[in-house]
Amino acid sequence: MGVPGVPPSSRFNFAQHVFARNAGRAGKAAYVDDAGTLTYGELERAAGRMAAALAALGLRREERVFVCMLDTLDWPVTFLGALHAGVVPAAINTLLTADDYAYMLEHSRAQAVFVSGALLPVVTQAMAKAAHEVRHVIVSRPTGPLPAGAHDFAALLAAQSGNAPPPAATLADDIAFWLYSSGSTGRPKGTVHTHGNLYATAETYGLPVLGVREDDVVFSAAKLFFAYGLGNALTFPLAAGATTILMAERPTPQAVFRRLTERKPTIFCGVPTLYAAMLAAPDLPTRADVRMRRCASAGEPLPKDIGERFAARFGCDVLDGIGSTEMLHIFLSNRPGEVRYGTTGVPVEGYDVELRGEDGHPVADGEIGDLYIRGPSAALMYWANREQSRTTFQGAWTKSGDKYVRDGDGFYTYSGRSDDMLKVSGQYVSPFEVEAALMKHAAVLEAAVVGRTEDGLTKTLAYVVLKPGHDGGDAMAETLKAFVKDQLAPYKYPREIRFIAELPKTATGKIQRFKLRESANG
């Protein structure tokens, strides 16, 4: 399916497109971080110098560069400069281990590494382990002496003089960048996206659904290396000519509160675990302290209670949606004025959605099915992984790996990951449905439900994180079991409840249920 206005075979470079779109905003702030501000004019010039620097370093079109950087002004400069040059940035999760980075360095065959000074030690350790092809290391905001042969990011840009090289004559369907899957089910996969895919997400979701405008100030707690965060903090605000707040530190409630009250963003993008933690924090700001007019949530489904309470507190909709690394951003979403908390909304215009049964045929409304998506932002493939590519990318359709149910009004409700569904007493149980029921209890902060095999039978086991001040003893476990029984069919209640301090999660906030399953059945 082609992108409206950008035929796949047409010349299209996303960086060139962004700068042409903002030609009249040279003096307006494009990005603000804790260290300073970058106007649209400065961003364009810096990206041009980055393209020149890449050429000076001998980087060629379609070669990969490893971008392991915190969310600072240097991140969009690097990403857009690489796109301008036709070099392919691989956006890397900044919270992984040296072993993870060693794998990605080898897998991507990156020729250069861009790394924040704070992350240099772990990346250096990874390079010592990997059979990599890295020829250059560029350090953003170094915290100490540079390694031998490494380049200082600011000095490298400053050394480029004269006009920027012309943008690479890329096509809409040319490879633009990679994102690695979050690794919630094993080794991350290198997901390959095009220049046209960035344009598609802005034109289908960022502008018409999230409604980003030129006068907005956008703040995404989800980081730029995350598909969701890349759209929120780069693609959408640049498409609208808005201003973006960047935060290098981890998105704790207190760090987020500081930006909401001091920088006054009008659009905030978070994930469900963060929204829950914010509401539970004693220093939660009042409505008068902030300027949010709209919020978004993705990564995992937003519990109904959390969405309703947040909206009531701040007087703005939280648009819960689902996207994926493979589809780049949100394709099912609630819409302003049409929010049904507890659902993921309806298909974004430009995307087709089908729920299919085990026989491959569409299921009826009210029945759980596997979610398939067809739309203009689908990735090309997983790099060097034909088997997984064929499983996920099936012709024009992408299999998400999620289970959903659609109601008679066309709204979709999450039922769990396909590999997380449980069969109890011969009937399917959605772990998310049980988790949502548990989350309604006033003492519960978070919950995750998995299956535990005993004597050949599957029983539901709930891991529960309680709010401060609540005791996780036997009495609380029985209270929660009874609480779920009052809401769901009797066979769905968790047979066992284990209280833990925190749930294992990926850096993007997704619960790593495979770790909980290992613990339950270990």
Side-chain angles (χ1 to χ4, degrees):
M1 184 179 294
V3 181
V6 185
S9 60
S10 69
R11 289 284 175 86
F12 182 78
N13 182 295
F14 184 76
Q16 180 185 28
H17 163 75
V18 161
F19 295 131
R21 195 160 182 158
N22 291 290
R25 302 187 179 100
K28 182 181 178 180
Y31 284 98
V32 179
D33 70 6
D34 291 341
T37 299
L38 202 62
T39 67
Y40 273 94
E42 291 168 339
L43 176 63
E44 181 174 6
R45 289 190 293 275
R49 287 196 295 273
M50 175 55 69
L54 291 170
L57 293 173
L59 272 292
R60 299 173 297 178
R61 276 186 64 172
E62 300 186 7
E63 288 185 327
R64 270 80 65 194
V65 295
F66 191 87
V67 181
C68 188
M69 298 166 64
L70 302 175
D71 280 21
T72 69
L73 303 181
D74 291 347
W75 206 105
V77 169
T78 302
F79 186 84
L80 293 170
L83 264 57
H84 180 104
V87 172
V88 178
I92 305 299
N93 184 329
T94 58
L95 298 171
L96 299 180
T97 67
D99 287 340
D100 293 320
Y101 293 145
Y103 167 77
M104 293 175 180
L105 284 166
E106 291 187 17
H107 180 256
S108 65
R109 298 198 294 276
Q111 301 296 301
V113 167
F114 287 82
V115 58
S116 292
L119 303 173
L120 181 59
V122 68
V123 172
T124 300
Q125 185 182 355
M127 292 177 65
K129 294 184 173 189
H132 62 78
E133 299 181 18
V134 175
R135 294 182 281 132
H136 303 284
V137 175
I138 301 93
V139 183
S140 164
R141 304 187 182 184
T143 58
L146 294 180
H151 303 272
D152 176 86
F153 184 98
L156 181 67
L157 289 197
Q160 309 309 313
S161 59
N163 296 325
T170 51
L171 305 178
D173 268 358
D174 269 338
I175 295 172
F177 63 102
W178 291 15
L179 296 173
Y180 275 92
S181 64
S182 60
S184 60
T185 57
R187 278 287 196 191
K189 298 178 285 292
T191 311
V192 179
H193 280 286
T194 70
H195 284 264
N197 287 1
L198 290 163
Y199 176 90
T201 60
E203 297 301 316
T204 57
Y205 175 82
L207 302 181
V209 179
L210 186 57
V212 182
R213 307 184 308 230
E214 182 179 6
D215 61 346
D216 276 317
V217 177
V218 181
F219 172 45
S220 175
K223 300 300 186 180
L224 282 160
F225 66 76
F226 184 18
Y228 175 51
L230 180 65
N232 302 336
L234 189 139
T235 316
F236 306 159
L238 294 185
T243 298
T244 303
I245 307 300
L246 294 179
M247 180 176 73
E249 64 186 293
R250 293 190 69 166
T252 63
Q254 287 66 41
V256 170
F257 294 160
R258 285 198 297 275
R259 274 71 182 185
L260 294 180
T261 57
E262 295 173 7
R263 300 292 189 182
K264 305 289 187 182
T266 54
I267 291 182
F268 172 66
C269 305
V271 296
T273 53
L274 177 59
Y275 283 110
M278 291 167 67
L279 288 172
D283 52 345
L284 179 68
T286 67
R287 185 183 300 191
D289 294 328
V290 303
R291 286 185 55 212
M292 292 180 292
R293 69 176 184 87
R294 187 162 298 156
C295 298
S297 180
E300 287 199 309
L302 182 71
K304 183 175 187 290
D305 175 65
I306 298 298
E308 290 175 342
R309 287 169 53 206
F310 196 91
R313 173 80 175 193
F314 295 109
C316 62
D317 290 327
V318 182
L319 306 183
D320 186 30
I322 182 176
S324 67
T325 305
E326 293 77 12
M327 294 302 296
L328 190 54
H329 213 276
I330 289 172
F331 50 81
L332 264 179
S333 181
N334 283 274
R335 296 169 181 270
E338 299 178 77
V339 174
R340 293 193 187 182
Y341 289 110
T343 80
T344 316
V346 299
V348 170
E349 187 173 355
Y351 293 84
D352 297 318
V353 172
E354 282 189 2
L355 299 183
R356 301 177 186 174
E358 294 180 0
D359 60 1
H361 297 296
V363 300
D365 286 350
E367 294 183 12
I368 294 174
D370 289 305
L371 180 66
Y372 287 76
I373 316 100
R374 179 172 61 187
S377 61
L380 295 176
M381 60 180 156
Y382 298 129
W383 188 263
N385 195 334
R386 181 179 296 187
E387 181 179 0
Q388 283 295 318
S389 293
R390 285 175 169 173
T391 298
T392 299
F393 305 108
Q394 301 181 11
W397 293 89
T398 299
K399 183 178 182 180
S400 77
D402 297 290
K403 295 277 192 183
Y404 264 83
V405 61
R406 185 179 66 186
D407 66 20
D409 295 329
F411 280 72
Y412 289 73
T413 299
Y414 183 69
S415 293
R417 292 288 296 174
S418 298
D419 50 5
D420 290 333
M421 292 295 290
L422 307 173
K423 205 162 194 178
V424 179
S425 302
Q427 301 181 77
Y428 275 114
V429 174
S430 161
F432 182 74
E433 185 181 17
V434 183
E435 292 162 12
L438 284 165
M439 289 284 290
K440 292 178 182 178
H441 195 281
V444 176
L445 178 63
E446 292 182 299
V449 173
V450 298
R452 186 170 72 85
T453 303
E454 184 177 310
D455 298 328
L457 301 175
T458 299
K459 297 183 178 180
T460 48
L461 164 61
Y463 287 89
V464 172
V465 179
L466 294 174
K467 295 176 181 176
H470 293 276
D471 175 48
D474 292 341
M476 176 59 77
E478 293 306 314
T479 296
L480 293 178
K481 290 178 184 179
F483 184 74
V484 174
K485 285 181 183 178
D486 286 342
Q487 301 176 66
L488 305 178
Y491 69 90
K492 295 182 179 181
Y493 86 94
R495 288 352 187 234
E496 182 181 352
I497 294 179
R498 297 182 188 177
F499 298 101
I500 56 176
E502 61 181 357
L503 298 174
K505 295 171 188 166
T506 68
T508 57
K510 294 182 180 179
I511 297 169
Q512 292 176 309
R513 285 179 173 81
F514 73 94
K515 290 187 177 180
L516 296 176
R517 283 195 294 268
E518 290 172 358
S519 175
N521 295 286

